[in-house]
Amino acid sequence: MSLFNRTLVLILVSLIAMSAVAMAFVPIGSPFGLTALPVFLILETLIYWLLLLVMNPRATLGMAWGGALIFVVLRAGCSLIGGGAGGLVSGMGLEESLLVWINPLPAVIQLMLLAFAGPYLLAATVPELVGPHETERLLGDQAPGGAAAPAQAGGGPVQESTPSGGFIQVFSYEELAATVRKSPGLEGFLIVSNEGLIVWRDWPIRIDVEYLAAHTVRHAQDLGELMLTSGLSRVRRVLVEGRDHTIFFTPISSNFSLILIFSGKVPTQDIFARIPVLAKTTREFLQWRYPALRVRPMAASPQASETVAAKTTV
C-alpha cells in the first residue's frame, strides 16, 4: 500500500505542477489564437503516441492511441484550471488566459512532466493501456489499478500458489497469467481452441496473434497426421526455434492447446522442464472453469509411450 501512496503522491504533484506552469505563463500571453487549436491538438496527440510507443516497446498501436488521448485530456484540464486561476490573479480576460493551453512554451514543460509521471498514471488507473508486464514493472507487485490482494472467504490474504500434484491451482485467468509469466524468458502465451480461436491471451509483443494461433494449430494438426500416416508415434509437442524467439505448442486437452513464446536466449531444455507444470496447471484450471466440456488430458496412442517433439530451426 505504501508503494501505491508514493505513486499517488507523484501523480498529484505532477498534475499540480502542470497547472502551476499554465498559471505562471498566463501573463505572457499566447502567440496563437483559437484557430490554431485543431492543428495543435493533432500534433500533440501524435507526439504522445510516438512517445508511448518508444517508452513501452510492448505497447500496441491501440494502447498508444488510448494513452495519447488521456494525456491530451490531462494537459488540457491542467492548462484550463491553471489558466483560469492565472486569469483571475492577473486580471486578464478569461478567453485570453485559457489560450495558455496552446502556448508552446508551457506545453513543452508540461509534456516533460507527463513523460515522467504519465506511465505511472496509466499503470495505476488504466493498466489495460499499459499492459500487465509494464504495470508490474512500474507499480511493483501491487495488482494493476492499485487493487489490494484478493481475500479468501475467511477474510485473510490469499497464500501464494504452490505446486500440488504437479500443478499450481489457480481460479482465474489473471492468476493463471501471473503464474505462467514467472517462467524465465517467457514473452507471451495463448490458450487456443482446436479450431485455432483464441480463448485467452497474454501477448504484449506486437504481432498478428490471430494469424499465428490459427496457423500454428493447423500446422500442428497436419504434422500430427503426417507422423501417424508415416507409422510414427503422434506429435505431442511442437517446438519452432527462430533467431530471436522460440515458439512452443502443446495440446493440453481434447479441446484446448497452449502456445508459448520464449526469448531465443532460453535453452530448450529449460523450456521442456517447465512445460509439464504449465500445461497441467492450465488444464486443471480449464477443467474447473468449463466443467461441461469435460476437459481431460489427451489419450495417448499405443505408439506414444514417450513424448515426441518436432523441432524446426528457422
Side-chain angles (χ1 to χ4, degrees), residues 7 16 36 84 108 117 132 143-144 156 169 173-174 199 230 233 280 293:
T7 303
I16 293 173
V108 170
Q169 190 172 25
Y173 279 113
E174 288 74 17
V199 178
S230 303
S233 56
K280 190 171 183 181
L293 293 180

Side-chain angles (χ1 to χ4, degrees), residues 167-189:
F167 70 97
I168 300 172
Q169 190 172 25
V170 296
F171 298 99
S172 68
Y173 279 113
E174 288 74 17
E175 289 184 35
L176 176 64
T179 299
V180 177
R181 282 201 304 267
K182 293 180 181 179
S183 302
L186 181 73
E187 297 192 2
F189 77 95

Side-chain angles (χ1 to χ4, degrees), residues 8 22 33 62 96 105 126 134 140 178 190 192 198 248 250 284 286 302 314:
L8 181 60
E96 294 180 358
L105 292 178
V126 196
E134 194 68 11
L190 300 171
V192 296
I198 297 176
F248 195 96
T250 179
E284 293 293 332
L286 293 173
V314 180

Side-chain angles (χ1 to χ4, degrees), residues 239-247 262-265 312-314:
L239 179 69
V240 181
E241 187 176 21
R243 183 183 64 181
D244 300 319
H245 299 94
T246 299
I247 297 179
F262 290 86
S263 168
K265 299 179 181 179
T312 304
T313 302
V314 180

Side-chain angles (χ1 to χ4, degrees), residues 6-26:
R6 290 197 296 271
T7 303
L8 181 60
V9 169
L10 183 149
I11 293 171
L12 290 176
V13 169
S14 299
L15 294 178
I16 293 173
M18 290 171 60
S19 301
V21 168
M23 183 176 178
F25 276 85
V26 165

